[in-house]
């Protein structure tokens, strides 16, 4: 919406006719005496510039709205000053003193754009948007010197004095606009990125106090879902979630999925029992609640948009996953969004493990992909599980069908080991429990439910000391 308004304003600004004030300002800045002999020459130059800029913006404005990318609006406004003079010069170039200043600005801007572009490509990876920006910046970087050589060529000696002065003034003016336009394009190409669709902003900054109708708690010792059928009377006690055996009326009891039967609304307790996340019954927001108050994690949601919440690291992080994931740090209320993620499997200070429709991704804490694996989908087999070491140096996949354990190096994506642990007797691998405080990886047997240390390189098991 914002970029659409900006595009309309830019087109309207380009459509404004050339005014006498603009011509007067031009003559003052370049120290030109406008006479009857050269007035038409000056007017035609600005009229032609206005006409081609308007055409460029009419093309760029829909592209800006479609891609939500402001870079194309900058390109549409500046491209005429760059491209209209791109041709080999027919005369010997002569650089004016004032042109050297703008050329210095251009070189500084180009250098800054290269540094910023390389950093962003390295830090955030290559995307179609950044690739398109890079191609355009390279084209502009090549076009500006060609146009500058042509513009700094001396006027034709056959022209009259007044015409020569006007031609020289227009060239100096065009050189200035050329370098400034080129600088604007390369810097915006490196720094501007598409905007995100606007949505209702969560209220992260301060916890909201509890309204009178809301239930509160200190520690959630136990909780129980609603037991009434979803179509019964709304105010029946059995239609509420129970926290410490008391009704928790602010939490929605059910959600109705698209084409499916009603299901219980999401409600999860943190591992330390100090907080819960649920769907608000009235405003349909996902809410984090602890003893200090409530925090809205999302805007109002339709039932088909309600995500699955999970806690990580003793309740510090809350992950909401649906078609994309949002991870919130409950200490500072900052968030990381991961497009396409359908489930968050592990999360620590070093990274995040998620699955999409087709891949398993290991990401750093800013959401940049470190490594990926194909997502296995085997009918009638339990899903594989995933664990990232706290220092981020190893990634473990528990292959449920083979009862094997594979270890990867996230820096290279290379598999470093694959073992099948042999449990005593008839016991076999149940689940992985992550890394112990002492260092080794922990696994649990299915039949005995005993916990063992596992050597990821050899598959050797030994009992955990109590």
């Amino acid at each position: 919406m914002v970029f659409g308004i900006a595009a309309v304003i830019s087109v309207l600004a380009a459509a404004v006719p050339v005014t006498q004030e603009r011509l007067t300002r031009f003559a003052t800045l370049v120290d030109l005496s406008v006479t009857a002999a050269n007035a038409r020459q000056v007017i035609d130059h600005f009229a032609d510039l206005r006409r081609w800029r308007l055409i460029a913006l009419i093309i760029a404005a829909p592209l800006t709205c479609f891609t939500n990318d402001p870079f194309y609006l900058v390109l549409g406004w500046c491209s005429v000053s760059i491209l209209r003079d791109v041709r080999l010069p027919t005369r010997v170039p002569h650089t004016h003193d004032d042109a050297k200043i703008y050329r210095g600005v251009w070189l500084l801007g180009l250098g800054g754009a290269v540094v910023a572009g390389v950093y962003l490509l390295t830090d955030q990876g290559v995307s179609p948007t950044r690739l398109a920006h890079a191609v355009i910046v390279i084209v502009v970087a090549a076009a500006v010197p060609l146009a500058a050589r042509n513009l700094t060529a001396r006027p034709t000696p056959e022209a009259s004095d007044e015409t020569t002065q006007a031609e020289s003034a227009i060239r100096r003016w065009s050189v200035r606009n050329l370098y400034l336009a080129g600088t604007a394009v390369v810097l915006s190409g490196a720094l501007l990125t598409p905007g995100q669709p606007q949505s209702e902003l969560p209220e992260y900054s301060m916890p909201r106090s509890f309204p009178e109708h809301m239930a509160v708690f200190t520690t959630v010792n136990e909780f129980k879902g609603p037991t009434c059928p979803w179509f019964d009377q709304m105010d029946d006690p059995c239609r509420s979630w129970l926290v410490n055996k008391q009704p928790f009326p602010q939490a929605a009891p059910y959600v109705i999925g698209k084409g499916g039967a009603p299901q219980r609304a999401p409600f999860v307790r943190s591992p330390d029992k100090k907080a819960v996340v649920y769907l608000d019954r009235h405003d349909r927001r996902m809410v984090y609640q602890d003893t200090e108050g409530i925090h809205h994690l999302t805007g109002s949601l339709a039932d088909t948009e309600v995500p699955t919440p999970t806690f990580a690291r003793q309740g510090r992080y809350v992950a909401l996953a649906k078609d994309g994931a949002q991870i919130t740090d409950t200490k500072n209320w900052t968030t990381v969004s991961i497009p396409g993620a359908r489930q968050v499997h592990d999360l620590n200070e070093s990274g995040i493990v998620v699955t999409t429709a087709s891949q398993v991704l290991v990401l750093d804490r800013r959401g940049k992909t470190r490594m990926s694996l194909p997502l296995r989908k085997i009918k009638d087999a339990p899903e594989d599980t995933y664990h990232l070491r706290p220092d981020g140096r190893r990634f473990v996949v528990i292959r449920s069908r083979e009862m094997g354990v594979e270890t990867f190096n996230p820096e290279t994506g290379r598999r470093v080991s694959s073992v099948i642990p042999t449990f005593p007797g008839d016991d076999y691998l149940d689940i992985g429990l992550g890394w112990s405080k002492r260092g080794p990886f922990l696994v649990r047997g299915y039949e005995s439910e005993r916990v063992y240390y596992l050597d990821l390189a050899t598959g050797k098991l030994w009992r955990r000391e109590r």
Side-chain angles (χ1 to χ4, degrees), residues 17 32 51 61 74 115 149 213 241 288 290 399 437 456:
L32 173 68
R51 179 171 61 254
V74 177
V115 173
R149 280 178 58 87
H213 68 275
W241 286 86
Y288 173 95
D290 58 13
R399 298 298 188 186
K437 293 182 179 179
L456 295 172

Side-chain angles (χ1 to χ4, degrees), residues 107-129:
L107 292 176
L108 286 175
L110 181 60
V114 170
V115 173
V118 170
Y119 171 78
L120 291 174
L121 286 173
T122 304
D123 184 63
Q124 300 179 8
V126 178
S127 65
T129 298

Side-chain angles (χ1 to χ4, degrees), residues 268-390:
V268 295
R269 177 181 63 177
S270 64
D272 60 5
K273 302 181 181 181
K274 300 295 185 182
V276 293
V277 169
Y278 57 88
L279 177 68
D280 189 274
R281 179 196 295 263
H282 304 288
D283 61 21
R284 313 303 282 186
R285 294 181 176 192
M286 294 299 297
V287 175
Y288 173 95
Q289 180 174 335
D290 58 13
T291 56
E292 296 182 0
I294 61 174
H295 289 267
H296 290 147
L297 301 176
T298 70
S300 182
L301 300 170
D303 280 14
T304 54
E305 299 173 340
V306 174
T308 300
T310 54
F311 279 97
R313 295 294 171 239
Q314 287 300 107
R316 174 172 177 175
Y317 300 100
V318 177
L320 304 178
K322 182 73 173 178
D323 296 324
Q326 172 187 294
I327 298 172
T328 302
D329 186 337
T330 62
K331 283 192 174 181
N332 53 31
W333 300 104
T334 58
T335 63
V336 174
S337 296
I338 307 173
R342 296 190 174 183
Q343 186 175 353
V344 178
H345 296 270
D346 200 1
L347 173 65
N348 58 41
E349 293 295 333
S350 299
I352 308 165
V353 181
V354 303
T355 50
T356 66
S358 60
Q359 289 183 306
V360 183
L361 301 178
V362 180
L363 314 166
D364 65 16
R365 289 305 312 281
R366 292 173 293 181
K368 179 184 176 183
T369 301
R370 299 179 63 196
M371 68 166 286
S372 64
L373 296 172
L375 177 65
R376 297 199 323 173
K377 296 181 180 179
I378 303 175
K379 186 177 181 181
D380 299 328
E383 294 182 355
D384 297 340
T385 56
Y386 313 97
H387 304 271
L388 183 65
R389 201 162 83 175

Side-chain angles (χ1 to χ4, degrees), residues 11 14 57 87 91 102 106 121 134 138 152 178 218 316 324 330 335 348 395 416:
V11 171
L57 282 171
R87 58 185 182 275
R91 291 174 293 275
Y102 297 112
W106 151 252
L121 286 173
I138 291 172
T152 53
L178 166 67
T218 301
R316 174 172 177 175
T330 62
T335 63
N348 58 41
F395 173 55
V416 296

Side-chain angles (χ1 to χ4, degrees), residues 376-386 397-406 419-421 428-431:
R376 297 199 323 173
K377 296 181 180 179
I378 303 175
K379 186 177 181 181
D380 299 328
E383 294 182 355
D384 297 340
T385 56
Y386 313 97
V397 180
I398 307 295
R399 298 298 188 186
S400 56
R401 184 177 184 182
E402 298 85 354
M403 300 180 191
V405 181
E406 295 181 356
V419 298
I420 299 179
Y428 54 91
L429 178 63
D430 180 18
I431 60 173

